[in-house]
Amino acid sequence: MGFKGFVEGGIASIVAGASTHPLDLIKVRMQLHGEPTLTPPINPNPSSLFRPAMPGNISAVHSIHLMDPPPRVGPVSIGVNIVRTEGVAALFSGVSATILRQTLYSATRMGLYEVLKQKWTDPQTGNFTLPKKIAAGLVAGGVGAAVGNPADVAMVRMQADGRLPISERRNYKSVVDAISQMSKSEGVASLWRGSALTVNRAMIVTASQLASYDEIKETILKKGLMNDGIGTHVAASFAAGFLAAVASNPVDVIKTRVMNMRVESGAGPPYSGALDCAVKTVRAEGVMALYKGFIPTISRQGPFTVVLFVTLEQIRKVLKDF
């Protein structure tokens, strides 16, 4: 039963991840939009490295014209720009990393959640309470994220590469090439860059996503609102996806920026850690910057969660006799 849960979760996650990859790519590009350049101009004004929240020294603003805040963009304009400047195939940049990430991260978290669900369900009543569901999601998400972090870093970098100047692009050929180059040039430890954020985000996502799906599905069935079919699965999974997106977006923004930062030889990193990245992001772009990419996040998280659980339920039916 335990092994089958990993297989079922892995297959469903790969299908969901690959089919919604373009939305995830757009989300990453939006989260990086407005981030201060990591390569400072010649003789920069130190006080202008991050845009102030309120207008201040006008002369200073004019002296750093290149650091003026970029125009607001939406997911449609980001997507159109990607297709126009990089081609349609660019919408699937990093899809190999997505598949590897789902194989490692999602298969682990969903399989482990099922194992804990079996162990923590009351044998007398068959009751698996909401607090236990949340606890199982936190544990499963944390373990899954630790396993899948290298693929996560590679995916973020491959998705973000097209926004860099041609001379600064990493041009990874595949997820294997990305992991290999990172290990050689930045050390093996770079594969776990942002791992604390990845683990925190995964714990939040898994707890809110899997626990809420189970809870909402059970409530719908108990109240007789719908039968146990695709309609129930879609309704429960979309609600679960929305909750997961709201809870995880701020951590996701910081995770994306920390993973994508370029560390030059002999120079300090742009961010010393997650807290430093959060402070600099809020200082430069405002608190709502933590919800950058929320529209594509929910646009991706909703369909992803729906495809994930609908596929999972169908796979369970196919494999129920195994």
Side-chain angles (χ1 to χ4, degrees), residues 47 50-62 64 68-69 283-284:
S47 65
F50 295 96
R51 174 169 56 87
M54 298 295 291
N57 187 333
I58 301 301
S59 62
V61 172
H62 283 292
I64 54 163
D68 285 347
R283 184 184 299 163

Side-chain angles (χ1 to χ4, degrees), residues 141-251:
V143 174
V147 172
N149 200 81
D152 207 359
V153 176
M155 181 184 71
V156 166
R157 290 191 173 199
M158 292 174 75
Q159 290 176 333
D161 212 35
R163 69 184 286 273
L164 298 173
I166 294 177
S167 61
E168 297 181 16
R169 291 181 185 176
R170 300 176 174 105
N171 295 316
Y172 299 135
K173 297 180 180 65
S174 66
V175 63
V176 175
D177 181 51
I179 291 174
S180 176
Q181 286 195 41
M182 287 169 60
S183 299
K184 291 177 181 177
S185 61
E186 302 174 54
V188 176
S190 66
L191 299 177
W192 275 269
R193 179 173 293 157
S195 59
L197 287 165
T198 304
V199 169
N200 289 337
R201 176 189 178 276
M203 292 173 71
I204 292 170
V205 168
T206 305
S208 56
Q209 187 184 67
L210 300 187
S212 61
Y213 175 78
D214 276 354
E215 190 71 16
I216 293 169
K217 176 185 170 184
E218 289 172 10
T219 300
I220 291 174
L221 296 177
K222 284 180 181 178
K223 293 185 177 295
L225 300 177
M226 287 187 282
N227 296 322
D228 188 4
I230 290 182
T232 297
H233 304 157
V234 170
S237 58
F238 190 83
F242 179 80
L243 291 174
V246 171
S248 67
N249 204 89
V251 180

